[in-house]
Amino acid sequence: MSDKETFIFDFDSTFIQVEALDILCEVIYKNSSVGIQVLNEIQRLTNLGMEGKLSLKESLTKRIALLQANRDHLGELIEELRHKVSESVIRNRVFFKQNAENIYIISNGFKEIIIPIVQEYGIKPSHVLANTFRFDHDGKIIGFDEKDELCENKGKVLKIKSLNLEGEVIMIGDGYTDYETLQGGAATKFYAFTENVSRAVVIEKADRLAPSLDEILFDLSYKASVSYPKNRISVLLLENIHADALSIFKHEGYSVEIVNESLSEDELCNKIKDVSILGIHSKTQISPRVLDAALKLHTIGIFSIGKNQVNLEECSKRGIAVFNAPYSNTRSVVELALGEMIMLIRNTFEKSTQLHNGIWDSSSEKSVEIRGKKLGIIGYGSIGSQLSVIAEALGMMVYFYDISDKLALGNAKKCSSLEELLALSDIVTLHVDERDSNNHLIDTDAFKQMKEGVVLLNLSRGHIINLEALVKNLKSGKVKGAAIDVFPNEPIGEKENFSSELQRLPNVILTPHIGGNTEEAQLDIAHFVAKKVIQYINTGSTFGSVNLPEIQLPEFQSAHRIMHIHENVKGILAHINTILSEFDYNIIGQYLKTNENMGYVITDIDNLHNTDLEKQLKEIPKTIRYRILY
Ligand code: NAI
């Protein structure tokens, strides 16, 4: 930082996220029914002052009189405000500490509140320009120093001028009085700070908008000491992704655009040029052409389980990390499977259909409990194993078969072959993955091995069962009932009709691929995927990525992180370290992970003094991508 630059921050709604007097009101009136009325009035008076429609002295006098505050309230208030410092201020704590000599806080508020908060960021009490309260003998606040120029109109201008600062004076604030410092010649630059509030009257006047402090420091070329401004990271969310994902990205400070449908290849190619983070559901196809058009894309969040819609190999070749949510809907599938087992084994649907037609059949014939029955689970992965535990808790005897060696949970028993499992199970349920070799895993032969009167469930993938064989066995009575949630040819949307040979067969439950589709699952997916993507952007962690080598990283503090993605060839790590040692860098930590095709090296260094470093890293042969976090 040049000695001639001075930063002056407004306090309320800028350094902190809120107006301190609003929070003081909440502290005082937290248990009172009139609290909300007082707060509304305080906010109205604050805004009138901020927008220049009421004199500051008048606005303050009225607010102090309304509040009826005392010294004890201030202690509580300060505790509250410590948790309400603006996010980008917290992120740039190092900037404040390093440049404390040149940073001031100016406020129409009060030193008793401001100093304890900003001192934690290295700001000196003498650099806090604010008013002071007047107290009576009992510690009640009865007014403020009316002689202080800060309670006069244009007080901030006078106060800054009295400092006789030289060089650039950069004012950062959200209110009209902050803008006045530029207008009145006290500041040379004014940034309208909109991270917490946006006031039209201020934005209109400002020549510079700052959605965060990152943006200001970036604009002023403090690139080597601050993080890349998050508002410059653009996120495109397609296909009606859950609103919580949108909020999470917005809260992070990114610029987010949402489109409720999926886009065609052409449409996406047009839109994706400046996008850094793409969020999709199951319908948007990510082809090499789309990836070629995506000049800034770092990561794709798939807000569902399946990942076939994304060309993972091409993403890897470009160093784009892809994340999905493989476990968010496990429980939802398990619950539906359990419910369906009970419905089928009790003949509930048949009885319900009969009753709809006026037939009262209350006999117990063919209606049995699941307790004590043998449940055969094929595929003991996330879903199969969770089903095992809950089914056992309901009194079932659980057997499973998996092609991988899986540890049996509870008292479940492992079968050594599919034949063994089919021969003993009263209920067979499929939870295998979609690999090609599972096509028609359950075919005519498999049905022959099953018990007479077996119940069959498929909530995995449509091609696993030969439906022709299933229909035959349902009609013959060999299979007593079936629940099918997935089909070989599923309609793409609601407009397309569904037709299947299973329709209109008794004791067959058909559901439109909803096993994992619950509000809870969608919510969990929104949080899980958004957080993975943000973690990748913020720290470089690829833990949970479906295509890049997975590295789970510790938080990095007081360091710069270099992320280098490359083709998996020998010698890259040595090459990176040679460059760092030539430039005399001190390596604080280093992590390397490779898969068959790619390598990912993360290196934390204590400072970043050579601008040539980026160029050298980029020129290492077989580099796919590199990124530096400041
Ligand atoms: P997972 O990958 O955790 O488990 C699959 C298991 O099946 C693995 O342990 C694997 O070794 C085993 N397996 C694969 N082929 C096999 C075979 N021929 N015989 C025996 N075991 C075999 O998968 P997860 O998360 O448990 O999902 C299971 C299935 O459920 C997947 O097909 C998934 O696509 C589907 N699914 C369906 C949903 C729905 O809405 N209906 C929602 C979520 C998942």
Side-chain angles (χ1 to χ4, degrees), residues 289-309:
R289 208 183 127 222
V290 169
L291 295 172
D292 282 342
L295 304 179
K296 294 189 182 165
L297 193 61
H298 281 289
T299 170
I300 300 175
I302 306 176
F303 287 80
S304 65
I305 315 300
K307 44 191 191 290
N308 286 349
Q309 66 279 43

Side-chain angles (χ1 to χ4, degrees), residues 11-44:
F11 184 69
D12 295 78
S13 299
T14 297
F15 194 93
I16 56 169
Q17 300 168 24
V18 287
E19 294 291 316
L21 292 189
D22 288 1
I23 306 300
L24 182 57
C25 175
E26 284 174 16
V27 165
I28 299 169
Y29 291 98
K30 62 187 168 214
N31 296 322
S32 156
S33 57
V34 296
I36 194 75
Q37 289 156 20
V38 180
L39 182 63
N40 285 342
E41 184 56 10
I42 296 255
Q43 287 176 340
R44 195 181 70 82

Side-chain angles (χ1 to χ4, degrees), residues 381-383 402-404 406 431-432 438 459 461 485 513 515-516:
S382 308
I383 296 173
D402 197 294
I403 46 173
S404 300
K406 294 285 165 106
H431 301 288
V432 297
N438 282 339
L459 292 93
R461 280 293 177 247
D485 186 45
H513 204 147

Side-chain angles (χ1 to χ4, degrees), residues 278-290:
L278 176 67
I280 59 165
H281 222 283
S282 48
K283 290 188 188 134
T284 307
Q285 299 295 316
I286 306 299
S287 64
R289 208 183 127 222
V290 169

Side-chain angles (χ1 to χ4, degrees), residues 305-306 326-327 329-330 333 336 377-385 401-406 418 430-435 437-438 441 458-461 464 485-486 512-517:
I305 315 300
Y327 313 115
N329 60 10
T330 303
V333 178
L336 187 63
I377 300 174
I378 306 175
Y380 206 61
S382 308
I383 296 173
S385 56
Y401 169 68
D402 197 294
I403 46 173
S404 300
D405 195 17
K406 294 285 165 106
L418 181 61
L430 290 160
H431 301 288
V432 297
D433 53 56
E434 58 189 321
R435 70 186 74 192
S437 57
N438 282 339
L441 180 69
N458 185 15
L459 292 93
S460 59
R461 280 293 177 247
I464 314 277
D485 186 45
V486 286
H513 204 147
I514 52 165
N517 228 353

